[in-house]
Amino acid sequence: MDPHHHGPYVMEVSKGKRYFLFATACTHVLLASGEAYGWTALRPVLQDSGLFDAFDPDQQSTLMNTVATMGIAGNALCKLPLGMILDKCGPRFTSLVGCLLLIAGSITLALCDKNDTVLPVLGYFLLGIAGPFIQMPCFQFSELFGTRKASAMAYLITCFELSTGVFWVFGELHRLFNIDRRQLFLGYSGVGVYCLVTGIFFWPDLPFRAQPPPQTHHHGSNRKAPPPPQPSHHHHTHALMDKPLHVQVGAGAASLFELAI
């Protein structure tokens, strides 16, 4: 990102567009940012689908734990390099990378063989790192609300917390309608497509920035010059000492006359 270029000013965005952008950002965070932390709700769905069922119970449990660990660790550890990518490439590019990772992870989990020991781990890892790539570019939209920035940020954080319930929805769909792993994750890839399309068309290449403070102009200032210092009595007396005697006497007489009146 060119440091000499800056994103659009907040005041250049209409009120209606601000609310639209923020609502869209909330859906991104709600649907695709913290789903990796919902592993507890997803695990029964994967077990019912026969994932790792060719292994004995201990091996199956170990493999399941590996899937969960890689997804959650990927979500947590990718945020440091992600910050540098966001600074360098901007919100739109960062979000698009996250959307592609989400789509790739969903399709991998949908189509992988149930007894493959690599692809399920890879798919969940991709879902894990996709979340922050989608979430962090959304935080810039809190700048659209000026003094209410903290409230807007609180909404986004709440959406992140709720996003852990995405796989709870998976579990309910599986329980009520018998939707299997393949159908669930193929459907979830549609969330990635939605975030991809909205990110392409609505996310800025550079973050929004607040309106700059008014500049002060030093040239042509109306400030008045301070008045010249008034001569002190000591300075006046010292000046008289340099005058001829008749001038000193006259000045002394005038001073006595002023005191008399």
Side-chain angles (χ1 to χ4, degrees):
M1 188 186 301
D2 190 340
H4 299 292
H5 290 80
H6 303 283
Y9 283 122
V10 169
M11 298 304 294
E12 297 173 355
V13 183
S14 67
K15 183 177 180 180
K17 188 175 181 181
R18 292 184 204 182
Y19 282 104
F20 169 76
L21 289 172
F22 186 72
T24 306
C26 285
T27 62
H28 280 217
V29 177
L30 179 63
L31 296 174
S33 63
E35 71 281 357
Y37 294 100
W39 170 256
T40 303
L42 179 64
R43 182 167 180 155
V45 177
L46 298 179
Q47 288 176 329
D48 288 348
S49 71
L51 188 66
F52 304 134
D53 62 359
F55 300 89
D56 64 57
D58 289 339
Q59 289 177 312
Q60 185 181 32
S61 178
T62 300
L63 289 169
M64 286 285 190
N65 291 338
T66 302
V67 173
T69 300
M70 291 302 294
I72 295 172
N75 186 284
L77 296 177
C78 76
K79 291 174 183 175
L80 179 60
L82 168 60
M84 294 184 286
I85 294 172
L86 183 59
D87 287 338
K88 183 174 181 62
C89 302
R92 190 199 305 266
F93 177 84
T94 305
S95 180
L96 298 187
V97 171
C99 296
L100 294 175
L101 291 171
L102 178 64
I103 294 170
S106 297
I107 293 176
T108 301
L109 285 167
L111 302 181
C112 67
D113 183 80
K114 64 179 182 177
N115 289 311
D116 192 307
T117 59
V118 175
L119 291 180
V121 176
L122 175 62
Y124 205 69
F125 177 75
L126 292 176
L127 284 184
I129 63 176
F133 272 83
I134 293 174
Q135 177 192 16
M136 289 186 68
C138 294
F139 286 152
Q140 58 152 335
F141 292 109
S142 63
E143 294 287 348
L144 295 174
F145 296 93
T147 56
R148 293 179 293 169
K149 175 182 177 180
S151 298
M153 187 68 74
Y155 278 110
L156 291 170
I157 294 173
T158 301
C159 288
F160 169 75
E161 299 292 343
L162 293 174
S163 69
T164 61
V166 166
F167 289 151
W168 175 84
V169 176
F170 275 33
E172 292 300 299
L173 292 173
H174 174 70
R175 182 177 65 86
L176 296 174
F177 303 104
N178 199 31
I179 301 176
D180 62 16
R181 168 176 59 96
R182 176 188 174 92
Q183 294 170 315
L184 287 170
F185 278 104
L186 285 178
Y188 191 56
S189 66
V191 171
V193 174
Y194 160 75
C195 294
L196 181 71
V197 173
T198 51
I200 288 174
F201 286 103
F202 301 118
W203 268 213
D205 290 316
L206 297 166
F208 290 103
R209 55 182 177 150
Q211 197 74 4
Q215 297 181 353
T216 57
H217 300 282
H218 298 287
H219 299 290
S221 175
N222 294 326
R223 296 170 64 183
K224 295 181 179 180
Q230 297 296 326
S232 64
H233 176 72
H234 175 75
H235 175 75
H236 180 67
T237 304
H238 181 73
L240 283 176
M241 296 296 293
D242 296 332
K243 302 291 183 180
L245 181 62
H246 70 279
V247 175
Q248 296 180 32
V249 173
S255 299
L256 290 174
F257 178 75
E258 289 177 1
L259 290 173
I261 61 174

